[in-house]
Amino acid sequence: MKHSSYLESLIGPSGDVSPLRSILFDGVTGLPTLPLVIESLKDVASEQNRIGIIFVDTTGLEPLEQEHGWESLDALLNQVRVFLDSVVARFAPLKLFSIHRVSGDDFILVLSSSDSSIPVSNSQVAEVSSNLQDLLNDYLCLKMPASLLPFARVFSGHALLEYSTNLRFERLLSRSINKAFQIAVSQQLRARETHVHELHEIVNSDRIRTLFQPIVSLENLADVLGHEALSRGPEGTLFETAEFMFTLAAQSGILHRLENVCQLQLLSILQKSSSSKLIFVNLEPSFLEQDLYQRLALFQHEDLDRQNLVLEITERIAITDYEIVAKSLEAIRKLGFRIAVDDVGSGYASLQSIAYLKPDFIKISEKMVQGISKDFIKQEIVKTLRDMGGRFSATLIAEGIEDEKDLHTLQELKVQFGQGFLLKRPDERLLG
Amino acid sequence: MLIVDDDQALLEMVSECLASAGYLPLQAANGLDGLKKLDSNAPDMAILDINMPELDGLQTCRLIRAKEKFRSLPILMLTGRGDIKDMIEARKMGADDYLVKPFEPSVLIEKIERLFQR
């Protein structure tokens, strides 16, 4: 990259945050912005006649920021950028002329040739693009937390920019970038269609598994309060991550059918079981607004003791329409079910809005639980929830306990119950 | 110990409390002043009030964390509100601990010592 030492003196040394530097260079990766290199890009394009453009479209990385903080996402983007460098290096004489980060988590790569006698060809750029896509997806498998992985995918598209003096270079460049972008997007759409098709097949053939995760007393780990019923797609597929399966079902309009399959399966297990412990069942928030009674009718079976059923709703609903939510919860209570608010501490609802729901159980999100032994603010949050829960006799349950030290901290904080791999793994059988 | 708060009375109170525990307090009346003093004095900890005009404590915290040399500086947030939403926000911005006002001086010192021990 050529930028004069005059420019360097104007913008200050790297690592320094001057306003000019932040305009010309990306604050996260330190990469130059397109306007900064456009002149040298034009030079190389006119010299070599052709340059390659690759658009790398990453999807599903945002939850990393929401759940693990902006430092995590920035670190990942930096790793991806270094990785892009090393991948292209394998395709000599193609060389990476520059990389630019655009719209948050996408990248534009400009490829030129290191040997001016061998100009860049379309097939070469296509090969790099498809290799990048495969390798980056493998790379994300290693780097993303398992729960976020099904959402994280990379799609890439390519284009060849043929230099012409008839058109302004900026226009040529934006056309090529747009073409590469369109290809990446169409790949994304195709991948999605495949997933939707797979999900339809799973629902039509009832290939849903119901697992039961024990919820135990943290004072006496052998003491089981009840089980959370978890619906999972077939093993070894992306649909094993419930959130992915339900999100896709909601987006493709088959959420109700999926829920039916899940609940009928749960019911058939419950009817055969002799367990007298509590059963926690997740209730899709959208059912509070419509079809609530139809949904609940499934559970009003004479063989089932409604007092033992706890319907879990996510804290996210606390920020939607209060009146509808309050009315629905009232209806649920009248029918004899109990209510748990799930995912508490994931950042959507305030203390006040959770208190407003007056749940029987408060389930502390695994995001709050994991790493709590070393995180003083998480400890502060759990203390606050405990004190609030105490005021209207809600029982506290910590989710996702996977670490001994976190368990000890939760015990010290006097959290009554917990669930997680460290305590007991989910099981297909309903024990106790 | 850098302490940033727009409330002069609280600034004095915390400074006194820090001094009596053997820490050297360094006062700043707002976020920008705090950032400047942080650069020139390199304190061992920053205590930031969240509610300040213009540059608030959360923004100040993020700006501090954006600098490589302050990545591991212990940051304690002070606030008048004990809501989990604010606490989560403070965590996101890179704060290490959170204290709701009004507080006992002993609790503040306890939190400071715990942060140094870590």
Side-chain angles (χ1 to χ4, degrees), chain A residues 121-153:
Chain A
S121 77
N122 193 43
S123 60
Q124 279 176 322
V125 181
E127 196 189 346
V128 176
S129 172
S130 94
N131 268 281
L132 263 180
Q133 180 174 307
D134 294 346
L135 291 166
L136 265 175
N137 279 316
D138 291 347
Y139 185 74
L140 285 184
C141 283
L142 298 173
K143 295 290 172 186
M144 287 294 277
S147 62
L148 304 178
L149 191 57
F151 297 96
R153 279 291 292 272

PDB file of all heavy atoms in Angstrom, chain A residues 121-153:
ATOM      1  N   SER A 121      -7.112 -14.111 -13.734  1.00  0.00           N
ATOM      2  CA  SER A 121      -8.199 -14.643 -14.559  1.00  0.00           C
ATOM      3  C   SER A 121      -9.438 -14.900 -13.712  1.00  0.00           C
ATOM      4  O   SER A 121      -9.354 -15.044 -12.489  1.00  0.00           O
ATOM      5  CB  SER A 121      -7.769 -15.949 -15.226  1.00  0.00           C
ATOM      6  OG  SER A 121      -7.822 -16.993 -14.277  1.00  0.00           O
ATOM      7  N   ASN A 122     -10.568 -14.949 -14.386  1.00  0.00           N
ATOM      8  CA  ASN A 122     -11.836 -15.145 -13.685  1.00  0.00           C
ATOM      9  C   ASN A 122     -11.847 -16.467 -12.918  1.00  0.00           C
ATOM     10  O   ASN A 122     -12.292 -16.534 -11.772  1.00  0.00           O
ATOM     11  CB  ASN A 122     -12.985 -15.107 -14.700  1.00  0.00           C
ATOM     12  CG  ASN A 122     -14.326 -14.990 -14.000  1.00  0.00           C
ATOM     13  OD1 ASN A 122     -14.467 -14.220 -13.054  1.00  0.00           O
ATOM     14  ND2 ASN A 122     -15.287 -15.778 -14.437  1.00  0.00           N
ATOM     15  N   SER A 123     -11.327 -17.533 -13.552  1.00  0.00           N
ATOM     16  CA  SER A 123     -11.384 -18.838 -12.893  1.00  0.00           C
ATOM     17  C   SER A 123     -10.516 -18.871 -11.633  1.00  0.00           C
ATOM     18  O   SER A 123     -10.883 -19.476 -10.634  1.00  0.00           O
ATOM     19  CB  SER A 123     -10.965 -19.943 -13.858  1.00  0.00           C
ATOM     20  OG  SER A 123      -9.654 -19.699 -14.298  1.00  0.00           O
ATOM     21  N   GLN A 124      -9.370 -18.167 -11.705  1.00  0.00           N
ATOM     22  CA  GLN A 124      -8.526 -18.109 -10.502  1.00  0.00           C
ATOM     23  C   GLN A 124      -9.255 -17.428  -9.348  1.00  0.00           C
ATOM     24  O   GLN A 124      -9.257 -17.918  -8.215  1.00  0.00           O
ATOM     25  CB  GLN A 124      -7.269 -17.272 -10.790  1.00  0.00           C
ATOM     26  CG  GLN A 124      -6.165 -18.002 -11.505  1.00  0.00           C
ATOM     27  CD  GLN A 124      -5.030 -17.023 -11.796  1.00  0.00           C
ATOM     28  OE1 GLN A 124      -5.269 -15.858 -12.119  1.00  0.00           O
ATOM     29  NE2 GLN A 124      -3.811 -17.504 -11.658  1.00  0.00           N
ATOM     30  N   VAL A 125      -9.862 -16.298  -9.663  1.00  0.00           N
ATOM     31  CA  VAL A 125     -10.552 -15.541  -8.604  1.00  0.00           C
ATOM     32  C   VAL A 125     -11.706 -16.368  -8.044  1.00  0.00           C
ATOM     33  O   VAL A 125     -11.935 -16.410  -6.833  1.00  0.00           O
ATOM     34  CB  VAL A 125     -11.063 -14.179  -9.135  1.00  0.00           C
ATOM     35  CG1 VAL A 125     -11.743 -13.393  -8.027  1.00  0.00           C
ATOM     36  CG2 VAL A 125      -9.913 -13.371  -9.695  1.00  0.00           C
ATOM     37  N   ALA A 126     -12.418 -17.078  -8.956  1.00  0.00           N
ATOM     38  CA  ALA A 126     -13.517 -17.925  -8.513  1.00  0.00           C
ATOM     39  C   ALA A 126     -13.008 -19.017  -7.581  1.00  0.00           C
ATOM     40  O   ALA A 126     -13.640 -19.340  -6.570  1.00  0.00           O
ATOM     41  CB  ALA A 126     -14.219 -18.537  -9.721  1.00  0.00           C
ATOM     42  N   GLU A 127     -11.849 -19.564  -7.932  1.00  0.00           N
ATOM     43  CA  GLU A 127     -11.291 -20.648  -7.109  1.00  0.00           C
ATOM     44  C   GLU A 127     -10.920 -20.124  -5.716  1.00  0.00           C
ATOM     45  O   GLU A 127     -11.223 -20.752  -4.696  1.00  0.00           O
ATOM     46  CB  GLU A 127     -10.046 -21.227  -7.794  1.00  0.00           C
ATOM     47  CG  GLU A 127      -9.650 -22.574  -7.233  1.00  0.00           C
ATOM     48  CD  GLU A 127      -8.294 -23.047  -7.752  1.00  0.00           C
ATOM     49  OE1 GLU A 127      -7.794 -22.472  -8.738  1.00  0.00           O
ATOM     50  OE2 GLU A 127      -7.751 -23.973  -7.151  1.00  0.00           O
ATOM     51  N   VAL A 128     -10.275 -18.975  -5.677  1.00  0.00           N
ATOM     52  CA  VAL A 128      -9.915 -18.388  -4.377  1.00  0.00           C
ATOM     53  C   VAL A 128     -11.184 -18.134  -3.571  1.00  0.00           C
ATOM     54  O   VAL A 128     -11.267 -18.463  -2.387  1.00  0.00           O
ATOM     55  CB  VAL A 128      -9.154 -17.055  -4.557  1.00  0.00           C
ATOM     56  CG1 VAL A 128      -8.877 -16.413  -3.201  1.00  0.00           C
ATOM     57  CG2 VAL A 128      -7.857 -17.269  -5.303  1.00  0.00           C
ATOM     58  N   SER A 129     -12.199 -17.581  -4.234  1.00  0.00           N
ATOM     59  CA  SER A 129     -13.441 -17.251  -3.539  1.00  0.00           C
ATOM     60  C   SER A 129     -14.082 -18.485  -2.913  1.00  0.00           C
ATOM     61  O   SER A 129     -14.474 -18.475  -1.745  1.00  0.00           O
ATOM     62  CB  SER A 129     -14.392 -16.580  -4.524  1.00  0.00           C
ATOM     63  OG  SER A 129     -15.656 -16.422  -3.946  1.00  0.00           O
ATOM     64  N   SER A 130     -14.176 -19.569  -3.697  1.00  0.00           N
ATOM     65  CA  SER A 130     -14.863 -20.737  -3.148  1.00  0.00           C
ATOM     66  C   SER A 130     -14.015 -21.413  -2.066  1.00  0.00           C
ATOM     67  O   SER A 130     -14.537 -21.920  -1.079  1.00  0.00           O
ATOM     68  CB  SER A 130     -15.264 -21.704  -4.264  1.00  0.00           C
ATOM     69  OG  SER A 130     -14.295 -22.677  -4.447  1.00  0.00           O
ATOM     70  N   ASN A 131     -12.685 -21.367  -2.243  1.00  0.00           N
ATOM     71  CA  ASN A 131     -11.821 -21.900  -1.192  1.00  0.00           C
ATOM     72  C   ASN A 131     -11.941 -21.095   0.099  1.00  0.00           C
ATOM     73  O   ASN A 131     -11.972 -21.651   1.185  1.00  0.00           O
ATOM     74  CB  ASN A 131     -10.358 -21.880  -1.648  1.00  0.00           C
ATOM     75  CG  ASN A 131      -9.962 -23.187  -2.301  1.00  0.00           C
ATOM     76  OD1 ASN A 131      -9.700 -24.154  -1.616  1.00  0.00           O
ATOM     77  ND2 ASN A 131      -9.962 -23.212  -3.620  1.00  0.00           N
ATOM     78  N   LEU A 132     -11.969 -19.784  -0.086  1.00  0.00           N
ATOM     79  CA  LEU A 132     -12.108 -18.909   1.082  1.00  0.00           C
ATOM     80  C   LEU A 132     -13.373 -19.237   1.855  1.00  0.00           C
ATOM     81  O   LEU A 132     -13.371 -19.324   3.072  1.00  0.00           O
ATOM     82  CB  LEU A 132     -12.209 -17.456   0.619  1.00  0.00           C
ATOM     83  CG  LEU A 132     -10.962 -16.615   0.634  1.00  0.00           C
ATOM     84  CD1 LEU A 132     -11.288 -15.215   0.146  1.00  0.00           C
ATOM     85  CD2 LEU A 132     -10.382 -16.546   2.030  1.00  0.00           C
ATOM     86  N   GLN A 133     -14.453 -19.407   1.111  1.00  0.00           N
ATOM     87  CA  GLN A 133     -15.730 -19.690   1.750  1.00  0.00           C
ATOM     88  C   GLN A 133     -15.657 -20.970   2.583  1.00  0.00           C
ATOM     89  O   GLN A 133     -16.040 -20.984   3.745  1.00  0.00           O
ATOM     90  CB  GLN A 133     -16.814 -19.805   0.676  1.00  0.00           C
ATOM     91  CG  GLN A 133     -18.184 -20.097   1.238  1.00  0.00           C
ATOM     92  CD  GLN A 133     -19.264 -20.058   0.163  1.00  0.00           C
ATOM     93  OE1 GLN A 133     -19.377 -19.089  -0.564  1.00  0.00           O
ATOM     94  NE2 GLN A 133     -20.035 -21.107   0.074  1.00  0.00           N
ATOM     95  N   ASP A 134     -15.108 -22.034   1.989  1.00  0.00           N
ATOM     96  CA  ASP A 134     -15.013 -23.307   2.711  1.00  0.00           C
ATOM     97  C   ASP A 134     -14.097 -23.192   3.924  1.00  0.00           C
ATOM     98  O   ASP A 134     -14.433 -23.624   5.028  1.00  0.00           O
ATOM     99  CB  ASP A 134     -14.491 -24.408   1.787  1.00  0.00           C
ATOM    100  CG  ASP A 134     -15.475 -24.715   0.674  1.00  0.00           C
ATOM    101  OD1 ASP A 134     -16.643 -24.275   0.799  1.00  0.00           O
ATOM    102  OD2 ASP A 134     -15.086 -25.371  -0.310  1.00  0.00           O
ATOM    103  N   LEU A 135     -12.912 -22.608   3.693  1.00  0.00           N
ATOM    104  CA  LEU A 135     -11.939 -22.536   4.782  1.00  0.00           C
ATOM    105  C   LEU A 135     -12.419 -21.636   5.920  1.00  0.00           C
ATOM    106  O   LEU A 135     -12.222 -21.940   7.091  1.00  0.00           O
ATOM    107  CB  LEU A 135     -10.588 -22.025   4.242  1.00  0.00           C
ATOM    108  CG  LEU A 135      -9.861 -23.021   3.321  1.00  0.00           C
ATOM    109  CD1 LEU A 135      -8.724 -22.330   2.569  1.00  0.00           C
ATOM    110  CD2 LEU A 135      -9.323 -24.199   4.125  1.00  0.00           C
ATOM    111  N   LEU A 136     -13.066 -20.538   5.547  1.00  0.00           N
ATOM    112  CA  LEU A 136     -13.559 -19.635   6.594  1.00  0.00           C
ATOM    113  C   LEU A 136     -14.661 -20.289   7.418  1.00  0.00           C
ATOM    114  O   LEU A 136     -14.730 -20.105   8.630  1.00  0.00           O
ATOM    115  CB  LEU A 136     -14.089 -18.343   5.977  1.00  0.00           C
ATOM    116  CG  LEU A 136     -13.115 -17.180   5.918  1.00  0.00           C
ATOM    117  CD1 LEU A 136     -13.741 -16.023   5.172  1.00  0.00           C
ATOM    118  CD2 LEU A 136     -12.695 -16.728   7.308  1.00  0.00           C
ATOM    119  N   ASN A 137     -15.516 -21.071   6.756  1.00  0.00           N
ATOM    120  CA  ASN A 137     -16.563 -21.763   7.508  1.00  0.00           C
ATOM    121  C   ASN A 137     -15.957 -22.776   8.473  1.00  0.00           C
ATOM    122  O   ASN A 137     -16.410 -22.906   9.609  1.00  0.00           O
ATOM    123  CB  ASN A 137     -17.571 -22.420   6.558  1.00  0.00           C
ATOM    124  CG  ASN A 137     -18.588 -21.404   6.047  1.00  0.00           C
ATOM    125  OD1 ASN A 137     -19.098 -20.595   6.816  1.00  0.00           O
ATOM    126  ND2 ASN A 137     -18.858 -21.418   4.754  1.00  0.00           N
ATOM    127  N   ASP A 138     -14.919 -23.484   8.017  1.00  0.00           N
ATOM    128  CA  ASP A 138     -14.215 -24.399   8.926  1.00  0.00           C
ATOM    129  C   ASP A 138     -13.605 -23.625  10.084  1.00  0.00           C
ATOM    130  O   ASP A 138     -13.627 -24.054  11.230  1.00  0.00           O
ATOM    131  CB  ASP A 138     -13.080 -25.142   8.185  1.00  0.00           C
ATOM    132  CG  ASP A 138     -13.641 -26.126   7.178  1.00  0.00           C
ATOM    133  OD1 ASP A 138     -14.856 -26.398   7.228  1.00  0.00           O
ATOM    134  OD2 ASP A 138     -12.863 -26.618   6.331  1.00  0.00           O
ATOM    135  N   TYR A 139     -13.039 -22.476   9.735  1.00  0.00           N
ATOM    136  CA  TYR A 139     -12.361 -21.654  10.728  1.00  0.00           C
ATOM    137  C   TYR A 139     -13.346 -21.173  11.806  1.00  0.00           C
ATOM    138  O   TYR A 139     -13.056 -21.209  12.998  1.00  0.00           O
ATOM    139  CB  TYR A 139     -11.728 -20.459  10.017  1.00  0.00           C
ATOM    140  CG  TYR A 139     -10.884 -19.575  10.894  1.00  0.00           C
ATOM    141  CD1 TYR A 139      -9.624 -19.975  11.317  1.00  0.00           C
ATOM    142  CD2 TYR A 139     -11.345 -18.324  11.295  1.00  0.00           C
ATOM    143  CE1 TYR A 139      -8.849 -19.161  12.112  1.00  0.00           C
ATOM    144  CE2 TYR A 139     -10.578 -17.505  12.090  1.00  0.00           C
ATOM    145  CZ  TYR A 139      -9.336 -17.920  12.501  1.00  0.00           C
ATOM    146  OH  TYR A 139      -8.572 -17.108  13.290  1.00  0.00           O
ATOM    147  N   LEU A 140     -14.535 -20.759  11.372  1.00  0.00           N
ATOM    148  CA  LEU A 140     -15.540 -20.301  12.333  1.00  0.00           C
ATOM    149  C   LEU A 140     -15.972 -21.426  13.261  1.00  0.00           C
ATOM    150  O   LEU A 140     -16.278 -21.206  14.421  1.00  0.00           O
ATOM    151  CB  LEU A 140     -16.766 -19.721  11.617  1.00  0.00           C
ATOM    152  CG  LEU A 140     -16.597 -18.343  10.994  1.00  0.00           C
ATOM    153  CD1 LEU A 140     -17.919 -17.867  10.416  1.00  0.00           C
ATOM    154  CD2 LEU A 140     -16.104 -17.317  12.009  1.00  0.00           C
ATOM    155  N   CYS A 141     -15.982 -22.671  12.731  1.00  0.00           N
ATOM    156  CA  CYS A 141     -16.319 -23.836  13.559  1.00  0.00           C
ATOM    157  C   CYS A 141     -15.390 -23.905  14.762  1.00  0.00           C
ATOM    158  O   CYS A 141     -15.775 -24.310  15.842  1.00  0.00           O
ATOM    159  CB  CYS A 141     -16.169 -25.134  12.768  1.00  0.00           C
ATOM    160  SG  CYS A 141     -17.510 -25.401  11.649  1.00  0.00           S
ATOM    161  N   LEU A 142     -14.137 -23.525  14.544  1.00  0.00           N
ATOM    162  CA  LEU A 142     -13.158 -23.591  15.633  1.00  0.00           C
ATOM    163  C   LEU A 142     -13.304 -22.412  16.581  1.00  0.00           C
ATOM    164  O   LEU A 142     -13.030 -22.528  17.761  1.00  0.00           O
ATOM    165  CB  LEU A 142     -11.730 -23.576  15.067  1.00  0.00           C
ATOM    166  CG  LEU A 142     -11.338 -24.728  14.161  1.00  0.00           C
ATOM    167  CD1 LEU A 142      -9.956 -24.477  13.558  1.00  0.00           C
ATOM    168  CD2 LEU A 142     -11.336 -26.033  14.945  1.00  0.00           C
ATOM    169  N   LYS A 143     -13.715 -21.276  16.031  1.00  0.00           N
ATOM    170  CA  LYS A 143     -13.641 -20.043  16.817  1.00  0.00           C
ATOM    171  C   LYS A 143     -14.943 -19.631  17.510  1.00  0.00           C
ATOM    172  O   LYS A 143     -14.914 -18.908  18.493  1.00  0.00           O
ATOM    173  CB  LYS A 143     -13.195 -18.872  15.913  1.00  0.00           C
ATOM    174  CG  LYS A 143     -11.801 -19.025  15.375  1.00  0.00           C
ATOM    175  CD  LYS A 143     -10.778 -18.868  16.487  1.00  0.00           C
ATOM    176  CE  LYS A 143      -9.391 -19.208  15.983  1.00  0.00           C
ATOM    177  NZ  LYS A 143      -8.398 -19.213  17.067  1.00  0.00           N
ATOM    178  N   MET A 144     -16.078 -20.046  16.953  1.00  0.00           N
ATOM    179  CA  MET A 144     -17.337 -19.578  17.538  1.00  0.00           C
ATOM    180  C   MET A 144     -17.775 -20.517  18.660  1.00  0.00           C
ATOM    181  O   MET A 144     -17.617 -21.724  18.551  1.00  0.00           O
ATOM    182  CB  MET A 144     -18.442 -19.555  16.473  1.00  0.00           C
ATOM    183  CG  MET A 144     -18.330 -18.445  15.451  1.00  0.00           C
ATOM    184  SD  MET A 144     -18.562 -16.800  16.142  1.00  0.00           S
ATOM    185  CE  MET A 144     -20.357 -16.656  16.172  1.00  0.00           C
ATOM    186  N   PRO A 145     -18.392 -19.958  19.721  1.00  0.00           N
ATOM    187  CA  PRO A 145     -18.961 -20.815  20.757  1.00  0.00           C
ATOM    188  C   PRO A 145     -20.030 -21.719  20.129  1.00  0.00           C
ATOM    189  O   PRO A 145     -20.745 -21.279  19.220  1.00  0.00           O
ATOM    190  CB  PRO A 145     -19.606 -19.824  21.724  1.00  0.00           C
ATOM    191  CG  PRO A 145     -19.073 -18.486  21.381  1.00  0.00           C
ATOM    192  CD  PRO A 145     -18.598 -18.525  19.967  1.00  0.00           C
ATOM    193  N   ALA A 146     -20.141 -22.955  20.606  1.00  0.00           N
ATOM    194  CA  ALA A 146     -21.021 -23.941  19.976  1.00  0.00           C
ATOM    195  C   ALA A 146     -22.462 -23.455  19.831  1.00  0.00           C
ATOM    196  O   ALA A 146     -23.103 -23.720  18.810  1.00  0.00           O
ATOM    197  CB  ALA A 146     -20.987 -25.236  20.782  1.00  0.00           C
ATOM    198  N   SER A 147     -22.960 -22.723  20.818  1.00  0.00           N
ATOM    199  CA  SER A 147     -24.367 -22.333  20.774  1.00  0.00           C
ATOM    200  C   SER A 147     -24.639 -21.321  19.661  1.00  0.00           C
ATOM    201  O   SER A 147     -25.768 -21.171  19.211  1.00  0.00           O
ATOM    202  CB  SER A 147     -24.780 -21.739  22.120  1.00  0.00           C
ATOM    203  OG  SER A 147     -24.015 -20.577  22.370  1.00  0.00           O
ATOM    204  N   LEU A 148     -23.612 -20.608  19.227  1.00  0.00           N
ATOM    205  CA  LEU A 148     -23.815 -19.582  18.198  1.00  0.00           C
ATOM    206  C   LEU A 148     -23.433 -20.091  16.813  1.00  0.00           C
ATOM    207  O   LEU A 148     -23.713 -19.454  15.807  1.00  0.00           O
ATOM    208  CB  LEU A 148     -22.969 -18.339  18.515  1.00  0.00           C
ATOM    209  CG  LEU A 148     -23.188 -17.697  19.874  1.00  0.00           C
ATOM    210  CD1 LEU A 148     -22.260 -16.518  20.065  1.00  0.00           C
ATOM    211  CD2 LEU A 148     -24.628 -17.239  20.014  1.00  0.00           C
ATOM    212  N   LEU A 149     -22.798 -21.253  16.807  1.00  0.00           N
ATOM    213  CA  LEU A 149     -22.225 -21.749  15.555  1.00  0.00           C
ATOM    214  C   LEU A 149     -23.217 -21.939  14.403  1.00  0.00           C
ATOM    215  O   LEU A 149     -22.923 -21.544  13.280  1.00  0.00           O
ATOM    216  CB  LEU A 149     -21.453 -23.045  15.834  1.00  0.00           C
ATOM    217  CG  LEU A 149     -20.593 -23.538  14.688  1.00  0.00           C
ATOM    218  CD1 LEU A 149     -19.597 -22.473  14.268  1.00  0.00           C
ATOM    219  CD2 LEU A 149     -19.867 -24.801  15.088  1.00  0.00           C
ATOM    220  N   PRO A 150     -24.414 -22.537  14.650  1.00  0.00           N
ATOM    221  CA  PRO A 150     -25.302 -22.769  13.511  1.00  0.00           C
ATOM    222  C   PRO A 150     -25.676 -21.489  12.777  1.00  0.00           C
ATOM    223  O   PRO A 150     -26.042 -21.521  11.615  1.00  0.00           O
ATOM    224  CB  PRO A 150     -26.538 -23.397  14.154  1.00  0.00           C
ATOM    225  CG  PRO A 150     -26.067 -23.943  15.434  1.00  0.00           C
ATOM    226  CD  PRO A 150     -24.971 -23.037  15.898  1.00  0.00           C
ATOM    227  N   PHE A 151     -25.615 -20.363  13.469  1.00  0.00           N
ATOM    228  CA  PHE A 151     -25.997 -19.100  12.853  1.00  0.00           C
ATOM    229  C   PHE A 151     -24.855 -18.496  12.046  1.00  0.00           C
ATOM    230  O   PHE A 151     -25.072 -17.677  11.171  1.00  0.00           O
ATOM    231  CB  PHE A 151     -26.412 -18.091  13.930  1.00  0.00           C
ATOM    232  CG  PHE A 151     -27.610 -18.521  14.705  1.00  0.00           C
ATOM    233  CD1 PHE A 151     -27.474 -19.165  15.929  1.00  0.00           C
ATOM    234  CD2 PHE A 151     -28.881 -18.299  14.208  1.00  0.00           C
ATOM    235  CE1 PHE A 151     -28.592 -19.557  16.649  1.00  0.00           C
ATOM    236  CE2 PHE A 151     -29.998 -18.687  14.921  1.00  0.00           C
ATOM    237  CZ  PHE A 151     -29.850 -19.325  16.141  1.00  0.00           C
ATOM    238  N   ALA A 152     -23.629 -18.873  12.391  1.00  0.00           N
ATOM    239  CA  ALA A 152     -22.466 -18.226  11.785  1.00  0.00           C
ATOM    240  C   ALA A 152     -22.091 -18.929  10.489  1.00  0.00           C
ATOM    241  O   ALA A 152     -21.766 -20.110  10.479  1.00  0.00           O
ATOM    242  CB  ALA A 152     -21.287 -18.262  12.757  1.00  0.00           C
ATOM    243  N   ARG A 153     -22.210 -18.205   9.401  1.00  0.00           N
ATOM    244  CA  ARG A 153     -21.830 -18.766   8.108  1.00  0.00           C
ATOM    245  C   ARG A 153     -21.157 -17.686   7.277  1.00  0.00           C
ATOM    246  O   ARG A 153     -21.429 -16.505   7.441  1.00  0.00           O
ATOM    247  CB  ARG A 153     -23.075 -19.254   7.350  1.00  0.00           C
ATOM    248  CG  ARG A 153     -23.592 -20.621   7.762  1.00  0.00           C
ATOM    249  CD  ARG A 153     -22.664 -21.771   7.367  1.00  0.00           C
ATOM    250  NE  ARG A 153     -22.570 -21.990   5.929  1.00  0.00           N
ATOM    251  CZ  ARG A 153     -23.381 -22.758   5.244  1.00  0.00           C
ATOM    252  NH1 ARG A 153     -24.388 -23.361   5.837  1.00  0.00           N
ATOM    253  NH2 ARG A 153     -23.210 -22.915   3.948  1.00  0.00           N
TER     254      ARG A 153
END
